[in-house]
Protein backbone atom coordinates (compact mmCIF):
# COMPACT_ATOMS: atom_id res chain seq x y z
CA UNK A 1 0.00 0.00 0.00
CA UNK A 2 2.84 2.42 0.80
CA UNK A 3 4.22 1.80 -2.69
CA UNK A 4 1.02 3.25 -4.17
CA UNK A 5 1.25 6.40 -2.05
CA UNK A 6 4.92 7.19 -2.41
CA UNK A 7 5.58 5.86 -5.90
CA UNK A 8 7.75 2.86 -5.14
CA UNK A 9 9.21 0.71 -2.42
CA UNK A 10 10.27 2.62 0.66
CA UNK A 11 13.87 2.79 1.75
CA UNK A 12 12.95 0.76 4.81
CA UNK A 13 11.52 -2.01 2.65
CA UNK A 14 14.56 -1.85 0.39
CA UNK A 15 16.83 -2.05 3.46
CA UNK A 16 14.89 -5.05 4.76
CA UNK A 17 15.16 -6.87 1.44
CA UNK A 18 18.89 -6.07 1.12
CA UNK A 19 19.57 -7.16 4.68
CA UNK A 20 17.68 -10.43 4.20
CA UNK A 21 19.63 -11.24 1.06
CA UNK A 22 22.92 -10.26 2.73
CA UNK A 23 22.08 -12.38 5.76
CA UNK A 24 21.32 -15.40 3.61
CA UNK A 25 24.70 -14.98 1.92
CA UNK A 26 26.57 -14.61 5.22
CA UNK A 27 24.74 -17.48 6.95
CA UNK A 28 24.37 -15.20 9.97
CA UNK A 29 21.16 -14.20 11.63
CA UNK A 30 19.76 -10.83 12.51
CA UNK A 31 19.59 -10.40 16.25
CA UNK A 32 16.11 -10.92 17.64
CA UNK A 33 15.97 -7.46 19.21
CA UNK A 34 16.77 -5.84 15.86
CA UNK A 35 14.05 -7.85 14.15
CA UNK A 36 11.67 -6.62 16.86
CA UNK A 37 12.85 -3.03 16.42
CA UNK A 38 12.33 -3.33 12.68
CA UNK A 39 8.83 -4.77 13.15
CA UNK A 40 7.75 -2.08 15.60
CA UNK A 41 9.05 0.73 13.42
CA UNK A 42 7.45 -0.81 10.35
CA UNK A 43 4.10 -1.05 12.14
CA UNK A 44 4.34 2.58 13.26
CA UNK A 45 5.19 3.75 9.73
CA UNK A 46 2.36 1.71 8.20
CA UNK A 47 -0.12 3.21 10.67
CA UNK A 48 1.06 6.75 9.96
CA UNK A 49 0.99 6.19 6.20
CA UNK A 50 -2.46 4.58 6.34
CA UNK A 51 -3.75 7.55 8.29
CA UNK A 52 -2.22 9.84 5.68
CA UNK A 53 -3.84 7.96 2.80
CA UNK A 54 -7.30 8.13 4.42
CA UNK A 55 -6.89 11.80 5.26
CA UNK A 56 -5.55 12.61 1.81
CA UNK A 57 -8.58 11.03 0.14
CA UNK A 58 -10.97 12.97 2.38
CA UNK A 59 -9.15 16.24 1.76
CA UNK A 60 -9.05 15.71 -2.00
CA UNK A 61 -12.78 14.93 -2.12
CA UNK A 62 -13.60 18.04 -0.10
CA UNK A 63 -11.33 20.20 -2.25
CA UNK A 64 -13.04 18.87 -5.39
CA UNK A 65 -16.42 19.81 -3.92
CA UNK A 66 -15.16 23.31 -3.20
CA UNK A 67 -13.63 23.71 -6.64
CA UNK A 68 -16.92 22.61 -8.17
CA UNK A 69 -18.85 25.09 -6.06
CA UNK A 70 -16.59 27.97 -7.10
CA UNK A 71 -17.47 27.35 -10.72
CA UNK A 72 -21.19 27.61 -9.93
CA UNK A 73 -22.01 23.91 -9.92
CA UNK A 74 -22.91 23.90 -6.22
CA UNK A 75 -25.15 26.01 -4.04
CA UNK A 76 -24.01 28.31 -1.25
CA UNK A 77 -25.10 25.85 1.43
CA UNK A 78 -22.98 23.12 -0.10
CA UNK A 79 -20.03 25.50 -0.29
CA UNK A 80 -20.36 26.47 3.38
CA UNK A 81 -20.54 22.79 4.37
CA UNK A 82 -17.49 21.98 2.28
CA UNK A 83 -15.55 24.92 3.72
CA UNK A 84 -16.33 23.75 7.25
CA UNK A 85 -15.31 20.21 6.30
CA UNK A 86 -12.05 21.52 4.90
CA UNK A 87 -11.35 23.42 8.14
CA UNK A 88 -11.88 20.22 10.13
CA UNK A 89 -9.64 18.27 7.77
CA UNK A 90 -7.00 21.00 8.00
CA UNK A 91 -6.96 20.41 11.77
CA UNK A 92 -6.64 16.67 11.15
CA UNK A 93 -3.64 17.35 8.91
CA UNK A 94 -2.02 19.33 11.74
CA UNK A 95 -2.67 16.51 14.20
CA UNK A 96 -1.17 13.91 11.86
CA UNK A 97 1.74 16.22 11.17
CA UNK A 98 2.39 16.40 14.93
CA UNK A 99 2.27 12.61 15.24
CA UNK A 100 4.69 12.10 12.36
CA UNK A 101 6.91 14.89 13.69
CA UNK A 102 7.00 13.23 17.11
CA UNK A 103 7.93 9.91 15.54
CA UNK A 104 10.68 11.62 13.53
CA UNK A 105 11.97 13.46 16.61
CA UNK A 106 12.14 10.20 18.58
CA UNK A 107 14.11 8.53 15.78
CA UNK A 108 16.46 11.50 15.55
CA UNK A 109 17.04 11.51 19.31
CA UNK A 110 18.13 7.87 19.24
CA UNK A 111 20.20 8.35 16.08
CA UNK A 112 22.10 11.18 17.78
CA UNK A 113 23.20 8.94 20.67
CA UNK A 114 25.89 6.44 19.65
CA UNK A 115 25.70 4.70 23.01
CA UNK A 116 21.95 4.13 22.67
CA UNK A 117 22.48 2.68 19.20
CA UNK A 118 25.21 0.33 20.43
CA UNK A 119 23.15 -0.84 23.40
CA UNK A 120 20.32 -1.89 21.07
CA UNK A 121 22.39 -4.99 20.33
CA UNK A 122 21.17 -6.75 23.46
CA UNK A 123 22.34 -10.17 22.29
CA UNK A 124 25.91 -8.92 22.02
CA UNK A 125 25.58 -7.11 25.33
CA UNK A 126 24.60 -10.37 27.02
CA UNK A 127 27.11 -12.55 25.17
CA UNK A 128 30.07 -10.16 25.61
CA UNK A 129 29.35 -7.76 28.52
CA UNK A 130 33.03 -6.85 28.93
CA UNK A 131 32.90 -5.09 25.59
CA UNK A 132 30.36 -2.60 26.98
CA UNK A 133 32.13 -1.62 30.21
CA UNK A 134 31.91 2.13 30.83
CA UNK A 135 33.38 4.16 29.29
CA UNK A 136 32.75 2.31 26.04
CA UNK A 137 35.28 3.11 23.35
CA UNK A 138 34.22 5.08 20.28
CA UNK A 139 35.26 2.13 18.07
CA UNK A 140 32.93 -0.28 19.89
CA UNK A 141 30.09 2.25 19.81
CA UNK A 142 30.44 2.70 16.06
CA UNK A 143 30.78 -1.00 15.37
CA UNK A 144 27.85 -2.06 17.53
CA UNK A 145 25.64 0.85 16.45
CA UNK A 146 25.96 0.34 12.69
CA UNK A 147 23.12 -2.13 12.19
CA UNK A 148 20.57 -0.39 14.44
CA UNK A 149 21.53 2.91 12.83
CA UNK A 150 20.77 1.56 9.35
CA UNK A 151 17.35 0.37 10.48
CA UNK A 152 16.50 3.66 12.18
CA UNK A 153 17.75 5.78 9.28
CA UNK A 154 15.60 3.84 6.82
CA UNK A 155 12.47 4.51 8.87
CA UNK A 156 13.54 8.08 9.48
CA UNK A 157 13.66 8.59 5.73
CA UNK A 158 10.25 7.00 5.37
CA UNK A 159 8.77 9.34 7.98
CA UNK A 160 10.38 12.33 6.25
CA UNK A 161 8.58 11.25 3.07
CA UNK A 162 5.31 11.31 5.01
CA UNK A 163 6.15 14.78 6.38
CA UNK A 164 6.81 16.02 2.85
CA UNK A 165 3.54 14.53 1.63
CA UNK A 166 1.70 16.25 4.48
CA UNK A 167 3.34 19.57 3.59
CA UNK A 168 2.22 19.15 -0.01
CA UNK A 169 -1.31 18.39 1.13
CA UNK A 170 -1.29 21.50 3.36
CA UNK A 171 -0.18 23.59 0.39
CA UNK A 172 -2.99 22.20 -1.73
CA UNK A 173 -5.51 23.03 0.99
CA UNK A 174 -4.15 26.58 1.26
CA UNK A 175 -4.38 27.01 -2.53
CA UNK A 176 -7.97 25.77 -2.52
CA UNK A 177 -8.85 28.13 0.33
CA UNK A 178 -7.39 31.02 -1.66
CA UNK A 179 -9.40 29.98 -4.72
CA UNK A 180 -12.62 29.90 -2.68
CA UNK A 181 -11.89 33.32 -1.13
CA UNK A 182 -11.18 34.83 -4.54
CA UNK A 183 -14.41 33.33 -5.85
CA UNK A 184 -16.38 34.77 -2.93
CA UNK A 185 -14.75 38.18 -3.38
CA UNK A 186 -15.67 38.13 -7.05
CA UNK A 187 -19.33 37.40 -6.23
CA UNK A 188 -19.50 40.30 -3.74
Amino acid sequence: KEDEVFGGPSEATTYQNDELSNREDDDSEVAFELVCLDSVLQAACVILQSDFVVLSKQVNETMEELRGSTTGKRKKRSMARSQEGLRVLKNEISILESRVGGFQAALDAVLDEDEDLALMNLSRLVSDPGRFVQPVSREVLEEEGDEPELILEAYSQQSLNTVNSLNLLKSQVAATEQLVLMSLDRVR
Side-chain angles (χ1 to χ4, degrees):
K1 194 171 201 176
E2 71 187 50
D3 293 351
E4 297 169 8
V5 177
F6 298 104
S10 68
E11 288 187 34
T13 305
T14 303
Y15 166 77
Q16 293 163 347
N17 294 337
D18 290 346
E19 278 301 302
L20 287 176
S21 64
N22 289 342
R23 296 293 178 197
E24 291 169 1
D25 295 340
D26 295 343
D27 285 333
S28 61
E29 292 184 26
V30 177
F32 176 75
E33 62 273 7
L34 297 180
V35 172
C36 292
L37 172 67
D38 183 58
S39 297
V40 168
L41 293 175
Q42 182 178 23
C45 282
V46 166
I47 289 169
L48 291 171
Q49 289 173 353
S50 295
D51 290 350
F52 170 77
V53 169
V54 169
L55 185 59
S56 178
K57 285 179 183 178
Q58 292 173 340
V59 168
N60 286 327
E61 288 170 3
T62 303
M63 287 190 305
E64 276 302 312
E65 286 178 24
L66 279 170
R67 287 184 196 122
S69 64
T70 60
T71 59
K73 295 178 185 175
R74 302 270 181 194
K75 296 182 180 186
K76 288 182 182 180
R77 192 176 304 165
S78 174
M79 181 182 242
R81 196 172 344 130
S82 294
Q83 280 181 303
E84 182 58 31
L86 191 61
R87 278 189 216 104
V88 169
L89 291 171
K90 194 174 176 182
N91 289 338
E92 292 293 322
I93 291 171
S94 295
I95 291 169
L96 183 57
E97 189 175 37
S98 294
R99 288 175 49 208
V100 174
F103 179 74
Q104 181 64 41
L107 290 176
D108 288 343
V110 175
L111 283 167
D112 288 343
E113 295 295 326
D114 290 337
E115 191 170 329
D116 290 345
L117 289 170
L119 292 175
M120 285 184 180
N121 282 315
L122 297 176
S123 299
R124 290 189 188 143
L125 180 64
V126 170
S127 66
D128 191 7
R131 188 171 165 102
F132 295 92
V133 173
Q134 295 294 329
V136 181
S137 72
R138 173 75 39 213
E139 180 182 302
V140 170
L141 291 176
E142 288 175 6
E143 183 180 321
E144 297 298 335
D146 281 347
E147 200 168 8
E149 184 176 22
L150 288 173
I151 294 170
L152 292 172
E153 283 178 349
Y155 288 105
S156 177
Q157 195 63 41
Q158 195 170 346
S159 70
L160 285 173
N161 289 340
T162 305
V163 167
N164 291 336
S165 297
L166 282 166
N167 287 335
L168 177 63
L169 192 60
K170 280 174 57 174
S171 297
Q172 291 171 343
V173 167
T176 301
E177 286 177 328
Q178 288 296 322
L179 177 67
V180 169
L181 290 175
M182 287 176 12
S183 175
L184 289 173
D185 287 344
R186 187 183 67 213
V187 170
R188 291 181 202 162

